[in-house]
Amino acid sequence: EKKSFDPDDYIDKEFPLPTLKTLDNKSISINDLKGKPTLINFWFTTCKPCIEEMPVLSEIKNQLKDSVNFIAITFKPIEKVKAFLIKYKFNYTQIASASKVTESMNIEAFPVNIFLDKNGIVRKIESGIPYILDDKKQMKMGDGKEFVAALRELL
């Protein structure tokens, strides 16, 4: 029986990031992320909640700038991701064609946001940015203040 993604398997452990290539063909590994907190976002190109949270995630990066690493990982092929990013702005360091990583972690529900401390240790795992009720009692994407607070705590 296939195991599903379990955050408890990762909390308080070093994030198991193999060396991967970014969209601009740079190598990145867990050691490259050490020294400052990291937010890793797992997403894919046809995931509606993933796409809805991208402007908020990009705004979080704009707020915290270079004090935090911002990494986005998807199993979708590089060409698909490059085409997607022409239409949708998502200013994280992008890693595509990473199905080995998502499969090894058993991630099947997206998005997943993983917060690492300065030593690459997983401190928090959330699905997407929390939705909120607007004035008309409709669900809408929140502003990500919980994510900003969690990252500031790791600074």
Side-chain angles (χ1 to χ4, degrees), residues 123-148:
R123 294 301 176 199
K124 181 181 182 73
I125 299 176
E126 294 290 336
S127 50
I129 299 255
Y131 282 80
I132 57 172
L133 283 176
D134 66 14
D135 301 338
K136 299 180 183 87
K137 302 288 182 233
Q138 300 293 312
M139 293 299 281
K140 71 168 197 161
M141 180 63 55
D143 61 6
K145 65 181 183 300
E146 305 87 351
F147 279 32
V148 171

Side-chain angles (χ1 to χ4, degrees), residues 56 69 76 88 104 136 140:
V56 181
N69 299 305
K76 289 290 187 180
Y88 297 94
S104 71
K136 299 180 183 87
K140 71 168 197 161

Side-chain angles (χ1 to χ4, degrees), residues 85-99:
L85 291 172
I86 291 167
K87 188 174 172 192
Y88 297 94
K89 188 175 177 337
F90 190 22
N91 61 0
Y92 283 34
T93 298
Q94 297 287 337
I95 297 170
S97 299
S99 52

